[in-house]
Amino acid sequence: MSVQFQPTGDHRRKTPGVGAKRRIQALVALGFPLDDLAARLRRSPAVLNDLPEDGLITRRLWFEISALYDELSMTASAPDPDVRDWARIEMGWVPPLAWDDDEIDDPRARPHQPKSVLGVDEVAIKRCLDGDRSIELAPDEVQVVLALSERQKWPRRRLAAVLGTSEEAAARRLVRYRDRMRTQGGADRAVDDAAA
């Protein structure tokens, strides 16, 4: 038997707020400032900030937040990288890709955490490797790409294409990466950590 955690068409006016709270946190972890999300919903930031993890909210608010989440959750680049980094590093919030759609409203569910504390988005890296140029990689994600290019001995042209830069800029980044790895004890350890 499957338990439904999302609101249904029944007569109840309230629904658990945990999924709405997680959706807002995921959008902030993607780089959307809370004030901007509140403005899009025509709500005060306090309403979003005070969403209950174990309490009830109106069904209307749940549906509004769910629609906004559906609209913004697959945004390729962070609108505000500082907000994204604060949410992920300081608050420990995860981006939308860490949640399965059928689990985000389940109070027992846990997000699928990336292995890096700094929130390396492996899906973003894969999309860049597959040629998606709409992705803006975070600094730690660029380090993973540089480690892969070093290990697999990519031509400069390939690295430039993946990073979305000129060949000269890609070569400079690779030189700085190699220098940093030499002083930190070797590139092999970084590649192993990134692949773990």
Side-chain angles (χ1 to χ4, degrees):
M1 179 178 164
S2 174
V3 176
Q4 179 77 358
F5 292 100
Q6 298 175 348
T8 59
D10 64 16
H11 63 283
R12 289 179 287 162
R13 294 188 174 186
K14 301 272 187 171
T15 193
V18 63
K21 184 177 190 80
R22 289 172 175 172
R23 283 175 176 85
I24 292 297
Q25 289 175 346
L27 291 175
V28 175
L30 199 56
F32 289 97
L34 188 68
D35 290 347
D36 292 356
L37 297 174
R40 286 174 184 256
L41 291 169
R42 297 186 178 141
R43 303 275 184 163
S44 79
V47 168
L48 301 185
N49 199 42
D50 296 337
L51 287 168
E53 185 136 350
D54 56 0
L56 300 175
I57 62 171
T58 65
R59 290 180 50 201
R60 180 178 178 170
L61 179 57
W62 186 95
F63 280 112
E64 289 172 0
I65 290 171
S66 182
L68 181 65
Y69 179 82
D70 289 345
E71 175 189 340
L72 301 177
S73 64
M74 295 310 287
T75 302
S77 61
D80 188 330
D82 291 335
V83 168
R84 176 198 63 206
D85 295 344
W86 169 82
R88 292 183 186 189
I89 296 167
E90 299 296 322
M91 302 304 293
W93 296 346
V94 296
L97 289 175
W99 289 107
D100 288 336
D101 289 342
D102 61 341
E103 294 179 345
I104 195 167
D105 290 289
D106 182 347
R108 301 168 300 186
R110 296 292 169 253
H112 305 281
Q113 292 273 15
K115 293 192 180 199
S116 169
V117 172
L118 297 177
V120 170
D121 186 345
E122 295 171 4
V123 174
I125 293 169
K126 171 116 176 62
R127 286 175 57 187
C128 277
L129 294 174
D130 291 343
D132 186 342
R133 299 299 164 246
S134 68
I135 302 293
E136 181 180 320
L137 294 176
D140 286 345
E141 295 159 354
V142 170
Q143 295 306 303
V144 171
V145 168
L146 290 168
L148 286 171
S149 73
E150 183 74 355
R151 187 172 101 200
Q152 296 175 359
K153 302 192 184 329
W154 292 354
R156 188 186 306 177
R157 180 180 302 131
R158 166 110 205 255
L159 179 60
V162 171
L163 294 177
T165 64
S166 68
E167 288 185 33
E168 292 76 24
R172 283 192 303 272
R173 279 186 162 178
L174 192 55
V175 166
R176 286 194 304 268
Y177 171 79
R178 288 174 180 155
D179 290 343
R180 201 168 34 254
M181 289 300 104
R182 260 193 299 279
T183 60
Q184 291 179 359
D188 290 339
R189 186 173 64 223
V191 172
D192 291 341
D193 291 345

